[in-house]
Amino acid sequence: MSPLGRLILTVMRAGSLLAAGFVFLVIGIEVAKRWIGGGLASMQAPDLAFMGVLVVLLVGFLWLSRSITREMKKHGS
């Protein structure tokens, strides 16, 4: 693998991990907000949809990071 390709994959992996961390932080803030404001039972349908989108994003970013890591290992280190 060329040095430029390795650099691009490393930056993409770091970016996907940072994005996953940010989404995890937003999930934590939303859960804490609901926990303090009357419990998780007070969540309405839009709140649940938003949490669902956040979970899908989190899984997607982690999956992308895993795929990039496997691709980098496949072509040698």
Side-chain angles (χ1 to χ4, degrees), residues 1-11 67-77:
M1 176 180 295
S2 70
L4 180 60
R6 184 155 180 81
L7 176 68
I8 290 171
L9 286 177
T10 302
V11 169
S67 299
I68 292 171
T69 302
R70 290 176 68 197
E71 186 68 26
M72 290 172 65
K73 285 182 180 178
K74 183 177 13 175
H75 290 292
S77 49

Side-chain angles (χ1 to χ4, degrees), residues 30 34 42-54:
E30 284 296 315
R34 294 296 168 192
S42 67
M43 293 182 79
Q44 302 289 325
D47 299 327
L48 293 174
F50 180 62
M51 290 297 282
V53 169
L54 288 177

Side-chain angles (χ1 to χ4, degrees), residues 25-37:
L25 179 68
V26 171
I27 290 173
I29 289 170
E30 284 296 315
V31 168
K33 185 171 69 171
R34 294 296 168 192
W35 191 274
I36 292 170

